[in-house]
Amino acid sequence: MANLDTIAAVATPPGLGGVGIVRVSGPRVSAIAQAITGALPSPRTATYRVFRDAENGFIDEGIALYFPGPRSFTGEDVLELQGHGGPVVMDLLLERCLGLGARLAHPGEFTERAFLNGKLDLVQAEAVADLIESSTALGVRLAGRTLQGEFSRRIQALVESLIQLRIFIESALDFPEEEIDFLADSSVAEDLDRAIAMTRRVLEEAHRGQVLREGLVVVIAGAPNVGKSSLLNALSDTDAAIVTPIPGTTRDLLRQDIQIDGLPIRVVDTAGLRATEDPVEREGVRRARKQLDDADLVLLVYDAQSGPDPSIAETLPSGIPVVRIRNKIDLLDESPGILQNDSEVEISLSVATAQGLDLLHAHLKHHAGLDAGHEGIFIARRRHLDALNRGLQHLLEAQHNLEGQLGPELVAEELLLAQKMLGEITGEVTSEDLLGRIFSSFCIGK
Ligand code: GDP
Ligand code: ZN
């Protein structure tokens, strides 16, 4: 895809710095390089030059780097002028490029061109932004894996297997008399099973990657005065939540973004879930209920002395895993512990003495899929999960059509739809709208 215009931007952050970089990409690059630096620098070679204005006056001196397309980040001709990192110097240099026919780049436009020119797929382009925005070292590592193609390779392998299967099925269409037998006798059902299992596995991996990107949303729920706010404080190590012995003090939601070994967690403390006449407190209860629906995990706190309040457990939405926190064991002189079976997890601890908090930390990491380390985890986004989920639905539909012997056309049709869904992830199938949304969140110069 050829872009007719040339874009330019200051690629380094605003303010003072040792080095500042102006980046230019597009067909006018060689003309711009010659005009500013006197002659076109040798490809991919750091070349010392004086950068000159239109009257041949001095703007700055520094290193010029010329990358002829397609062997460049964007796939087009690219010029990097590395000068002194002062805002006015950078402005003058950028102005000079604009005067020579470049236009100011939009946020993310260099990466968008890299995508449009096939240098990166969409997942990798998104990983560029995730890498830059990472707030933890773990985040950087996982975004790096996606950037290196770990996620894309999984999707490609999946797409490849769907294409093979579809070609095989479509060949049955050429032999109408034998088609039913053909499908029944062949390994189509097995191959389809395998593709479904593979999709589920990638979905699971992507889900872990998405949790690590966006953080686990953990809601603390329970009756008033059982120690919810104290638990939030203990997890976040601050006094953000007001802890008082008067029931019903937590009237609004409190949120804390914390990290456990690089795992980002958004902890939400809910108003004591109870019937109340106080309108402010009632609003708090209403919001608490709403947060519950978005949670990855609920910590249901109760007082070890009085036991769980069954009326609260009943109000929890179904389908969200619940960990029961049996708090205040210090008052019973008990030791901390964790009880776990297929459907339930209960941790006995004391927020006041911090005994057993390590069990909770370990369980949160386990829930995020981090207990076995981070090998093989890559960063992913909600949009990828949605596409994988929709792809899976089409595969299940294909299976249904195959089992019901509804004919090879209907099986092939669903396989094609599944393939399209997966193609949205890597950007083989895209809309302007989607691209706009993704790249507009980048910084300028990237
Ligand atoms: P919330 O209403 O559920 O948010 O409860 P709070 O966090 O405000 O705590 C209610 C009271 O219980 C406060 O006086 C806390 O100091 C106390 N508390 C919280 N956790 C413990 C604990 O593990 N042991 C003891 N002895 N007291 C606790
Ligand atoms: Zn509270």
Side-chain angles (χ1 to χ4, degrees), residues 223-232 241-244 246-252 254 269-272:
N225 230 24
V226 294
K228 296 183 299 298
S229 304
S230 307
L231 180 61
L232 174 66
I242 311 158
V243 182
T244 66
I246 310 153
T249 320
T250 311
R251 295 192 152 180
D252 205 341
L254 282 166
D269 176 22
T270 61

mmCIF file of all heavy atoms in Angstrom, residues 223-232 241-244 246-252 254 269-272, ligand 2:
data_model
loop_
_atom_site.group_PDB
_atom_site.id
_atom_site.type_symbol
_atom_site.label_atom_id
_atom_site.label_comp_id
_atom_site.label_asym_id
_atom_site.label_seq_id
_atom_site.Cartn_x
_atom_site.Cartn_y
_atom_site.Cartn_z
ATOM 1 N N ALA A 223 -20.747 -8.456 54.870
ATOM 2 C CA ALA A 223 -21.592 -7.685 55.778
ATOM 3 C C ALA A 223 -20.777 -6.535 56.382
ATOM 4 O O ALA A 223 -19.541 -6.562 56.347
ATOM 5 C CB ALA A 223 -22.121 -8.592 56.881
ATOM 6 N N PRO A 224 -21.458 -5.534 56.934
ATOM 7 C CA PRO A 224 -20.734 -4.447 57.580
ATOM 8 C C PRO A 224 -19.881 -4.948 58.743
ATOM 9 O O PRO A 224 -20.236 -5.917 59.422
ATOM 10 C CB PRO A 224 -21.850 -3.530 58.098
ATOM 11 C CG PRO A 224 -23.032 -3.851 57.263
ATOM 12 C CD PRO A 224 -22.897 -5.305 56.906
ATOM 13 N N ASN A 225 -18.723 -4.301 58.906
ATOM 14 C CA ASN A 225 -17.889 -4.518 60.095
ATOM 15 C C ASN A 225 -17.110 -5.841 60.152
ATOM 16 O O ASN A 225 -16.571 -6.183 61.191
ATOM 17 C CB ASN A 225 -18.762 -4.398 61.360
ATOM 18 C CG ASN A 225 -18.105 -3.456 62.360
ATOM 19 O OD1 ASN A 225 -17.312 -2.600 61.972
ATOM 20 N ND2 ASN A 225 -18.405 -3.642 63.631
ATOM 21 N N VAL A 226 -17.067 -6.557 59.051
ATOM 22 C CA VAL A 226 -16.336 -7.826 59.072
ATOM 23 C C VAL A 226 -14.849 -7.628 58.749
ATOM 24 O O VAL A 226 -14.047 -8.543 58.913
ATOM 25 C CB VAL A 226 -16.929 -8.852 58.072
ATOM 26 C CG1 VAL A 226 -18.335 -9.261 58.506
ATOM 27 C CG2 VAL A 226 -16.935 -8.297 56.654
ATOM 28 N N GLY A 227 -14.492 -6.420 58.255
ATOM 29 C CA GLY A 227 -13.087 -6.133 57.977
ATOM 30 C C GLY A 227 -12.767 -5.919 56.506
ATOM 31 O O GLY A 227 -11.612 -6.062 56.090
ATOM 32 N N LYS A 228 -13.763 -5.533 55.704
ATOM 33 C CA LYS A 228 -13.533 -5.323 54.265
ATOM 34 C C LYS A 228 -12.564 -4.175 54.008
ATOM 35 O O LYS A 228 -11.602 -4.325 53.258
ATOM 36 C CB LYS A 228 -14.862 -5.031 53.546
ATOM 37 C CG LYS A 228 -15.852 -6.178 53.577
ATOM 38 C CD LYS A 228 -17.105 -5.847 52.787
ATOM 39 C CE LYS A 228 -17.849 -4.644 53.335
ATOM 40 N NZ LYS A 228 -18.326 -4.837 54.726
ATOM 41 N N SER A 229 -12.833 -3.029 54.638
ATOM 42 C CA SER A 229 -11.959 -1.873 54.409
ATOM 43 C C SER A 229 -10.559 -2.164 54.929
ATOM 44 O O SER A 229 -9.562 -1.776 54.308
ATOM 45 C CB SER A 229 -12.522 -0.627 55.086
ATOM 46 O OG SER A 229 -13.832 -0.403 54.635
ATOM 47 N N SER A 230 -10.483 -2.855 56.050
ATOM 48 C CA SER A 230 -9.166 -3.204 56.600
ATOM 49 C C SER A 230 -8.415 -4.101 55.621
ATOM 50 O O SER A 230 -7.201 -3.968 55.441
ATOM 51 C CB SER A 230 -9.314 -3.939 57.935
ATOM 52 O OG SER A 230 -10.118 -3.218 58.819
ATOM 53 N N LEU A 231 -9.131 -5.002 54.968
ATOM 54 C CA LEU A 231 -8.489 -5.902 54.007
ATOM 55 C C LEU A 231 -7.974 -5.116 52.804
ATOM 56 O O LEU A 231 -6.857 -5.347 52.332
ATOM 57 C CB LEU A 231 -9.480 -6.987 53.559
ATOM 58 C CG LEU A 231 -8.929 -7.994 52.543
ATOM 59 C CD1 LEU A 231 -7.745 -8.769 53.106
ATOM 60 C CD2 LEU A 231 -10.020 -8.958 52.080
ATOM 61 N N LEU A 232 -8.795 -4.180 52.325
ATOM 62 C CA LEU A 232 -8.351 -3.335 51.211
ATOM 63 C C LEU A 232 -7.069 -2.605 51.587
ATOM 64 O O LEU A 232 -6.110 -2.551 50.816
ATOM 65 C CB LEU A 232 -9.443 -2.329 50.836
ATOM 66 C CG LEU A 232 -9.048 -1.281 49.778
ATOM 67 C CD1 LEU A 232 -8.788 -1.926 48.434
ATOM 68 C CD2 LEU A 232 -10.121 -0.217 49.627
ATOM 69 N N ALA A 241 -8.897 3.503 52.542
ATOM 70 C CA ALA A 241 -10.247 3.218 53.031
ATOM 71 C C ALA A 241 -10.334 3.613 54.506
ATOM 72 O O ALA A 241 -9.399 3.413 55.265
ATOM 73 C CB ALA A 241 -10.541 1.737 52.870
ATOM 74 N N ILE A 242 -11.443 4.187 54.881
ATOM 75 C CA ILE A 242 -11.620 4.587 56.278
ATOM 76 C C ILE A 242 -12.090 3.374 57.065
ATOM 77 O O ILE A 242 -13.118 2.769 56.747
ATOM 78 C CB ILE A 242 -12.702 5.683 56.396
ATOM 79 C CG1 ILE A 242 -12.425 6.794 55.385
ATOM 80 C CG2 ILE A 242 -12.792 6.208 57.812
ATOM 81 C CD1 ILE A 242 -13.656 7.622 55.049
ATOM 82 N N VAL A 243 -11.315 3.004 58.048
ATOM 83 C CA VAL A 243 -11.694 1.848 58.866
ATOM 84 C C VAL A 243 -12.292 2.363 60.172
ATOM 85 O O VAL A 243 -11.666 3.110 60.899
ATOM 86 C CB VAL A 243 -10.465 0.980 59.175
ATOM 87 C CG1 VAL A 243 -10.871 -0.251 59.983
ATOM 88 C CG2 VAL A 243 -9.771 0.575 57.894
ATOM 89 N N THR A 244 -13.512 1.999 60.458
ATOM 90 C CA THR A 244 -14.137 2.421 61.713
ATOM 91 C C THR A 244 -14.922 1.262 62.292
ATOM 92 O O THR A 244 -15.337 0.361 61.563
ATOM 93 C CB THR A 244 -15.140 3.568 61.494
ATOM 94 O OG1 THR A 244 -16.213 3.051 60.712
ATOM 95 C CG2 THR A 244 -14.514 4.744 60.803
ATOM 96 N N ILE A 246 -17.880 1.523 63.351
ATOM 97 C CA ILE A 246 -19.323 1.754 63.196
ATOM 98 C C ILE A 246 -19.811 1.115 61.892
ATOM 99 O O ILE A 246 -19.300 1.431 60.824
ATOM 100 C CB ILE A 246 -19.636 3.263 63.126
ATOM 101 C CG1 ILE A 246 -18.952 3.986 64.292
ATOM 102 C CG2 ILE A 246 -21.138 3.509 63.104
ATOM 103 C CD1 ILE A 246 -18.640 5.435 63.993
ATOM 104 N N PRO A 247 -20.777 0.202 61.954
ATOM 105 C CA PRO A 247 -21.258 -0.436 60.720
ATOM 106 C C PRO A 247 -21.781 0.606 59.729
ATOM 107 O O PRO A 247 -22.360 1.605 60.121
ATOM 108 C CB PRO A 247 -22.400 -1.333 61.191
ATOM 109 C CG PRO A 247 -22.184 -1.517 62.651
ATOM 110 C CD PRO A 247 -21.486 -0.287 63.140
ATOM 111 N N GLY A 248 -21.556 0.343 58.446
ATOM 112 C CA GLY A 248 -22.122 1.201 57.416
ATOM 113 C C GLY A 248 -21.298 2.443 57.114
ATOM 114 O O GLY A 248 -21.800 3.397 56.552
ATOM 115 N N THR A 249 -20.015 2.441 57.457
ATOM 116 C CA THR A 249 -19.184 3.628 57.211
ATOM 117 C C THR A 249 -18.763 3.741 55.756
ATOM 118 O O THR A 249 -18.624 4.831 55.228
ATOM 119 C CB THR A 249 -17.884 3.575 58.042
ATOM 120 O OG1 THR A 249 -18.206 3.081 59.322
ATOM 121 C CG2 THR A 249 -17.272 4.949 58.149
ATOM 122 N N THR A 250 -18.548 2.602 55.105
ATOM 123 C CA THR A 250 -18.091 2.631 53.717
ATOM 124 C C THR A 250 -19.294 2.873 52.837
ATOM 125 O O THR A 250 -20.041 1.971 52.519
ATOM 126 C CB THR A 250 -17.419 1.302 53.333
ATOM 127 O OG1 THR A 250 -16.478 0.989 54.334
ATOM 128 C CG2 THR A 250 -16.721 1.414 52.016
ATOM 129 N N ARG A 251 -19.482 4.141 52.436
ATOM 130 C CA ARG A 251 -20.705 4.471 51.716
ATOM 131 C C ARG A 251 -20.505 4.441 50.224
ATOM 132 O O ARG A 251 -21.443 4.366 49.470
ATOM 133 C CB ARG A 251 -21.182 5.850 52.146
ATOM 134 C CG ARG A 251 -21.562 5.828 53.585
ATOM 135 C CD ARG A 251 -22.277 7.075 53.908
ATOM 136 N NE ARG A 251 -23.187 6.834 55.009
ATOM 137 C CZ ARG A 251 -23.956 7.766 55.504
ATOM 138 N NH1 ARG A 251 -23.947 8.980 54.987
ATOM 139 N NH2 ARG A 251 -24.759 7.489 56.495
ATOM 140 N N ASP A 252 -19.289 4.588 49.804
ATOM 141 C CA ASP A 252 -19.060 4.597 48.369
ATOM 142 C C ASP A 252 -18.065 3.496 48.046
ATOM 143 O O ASP A 252 -17.509 2.868 48.937
ATOM 144 C CB ASP A 252 -18.514 5.951 47.940
ATOM 145 C CG ASP A 252 -18.831 6.215 46.477
ATOM 146 O OD1 ASP A 252 -19.129 5.241 45.751
ATOM 147 O OD2 ASP A 252 -18.759 7.371 46.078
ATOM 148 N N LEU A 254 -14.583 2.109 46.949
ATOM 149 C CA LEU A 254 -13.202 2.549 47.023
ATOM 150 C C LEU A 254 -12.406 1.636 46.142
ATOM 151 O O LEU A 254 -12.593 0.436 46.135
ATOM 152 C CB LEU A 254 -12.704 2.448 48.456
ATOM 153 C CG LEU A 254 -13.175 3.577 49.345
ATOM 154 C CD1 LEU A 254 -12.934 3.216 50.785
ATOM 155 C CD2 LEU A 254 -12.450 4.859 48.970
ATOM 156 N N ASP A 269 -13.583 -2.060 47.155
ATOM 157 C CA ASP A 269 -14.244 -2.307 48.437
ATOM 158 C C ASP A 269 -15.692 -1.854 48.280
ATOM 159 O O ASP A 269 -15.957 -0.752 47.848
ATOM 160 C CB ASP A 269 -13.536 -1.489 49.533
ATOM 161 C CG ASP A 269 -14.237 -1.625 50.882
ATOM 162 O OD1 ASP A 269 -14.961 -2.614 51.093
ATOM 163 O OD2 ASP A 269 -14.046 -0.724 51.723
ATOM 164 N N THR A 270 -16.624 -2.693 48.582
ATOM 165 C CA THR A 270 -18.030 -2.328 48.396
ATOM 166 C C THR A 270 -18.636 -1.846 49.698
ATOM 167 O O THR A 270 -18.189 -2.200 50.773
ATOM 168 C CB THR A 270 -18.848 -3.535 47.921
ATOM 169 O OG1 THR A 270 -18.751 -4.541 48.920
ATOM 170 C CG2 THR A 270 -18.332 -4.044 46.615
ATOM 171 N N ALA A 271 -19.669 -1.049 49.562
ATOM 172 C CA ALA A 271 -20.428 -0.665 50.742
ATOM 173 C C ALA A 271 -20.973 -1.946 51.348
ATOM 174 O O ALA A 271 -21.228 -2.911 50.643
ATOM 175 C CB ALA A 271 -21.574 0.240 50.333
ATOM 176 N N GLY A 272 -21.093 -1.990 52.637
ATOM 177 C CA GLY A 272 -21.685 -3.154 53.277
ATOM 178 C C GLY A 272 -23.003 -3.460 52.567
ATOM 179 O O GLY A 272 -23.867 -2.597 52.466
HETATM 180 ZN ZN ZN B 2 -15.622 -0.768 55.113
#
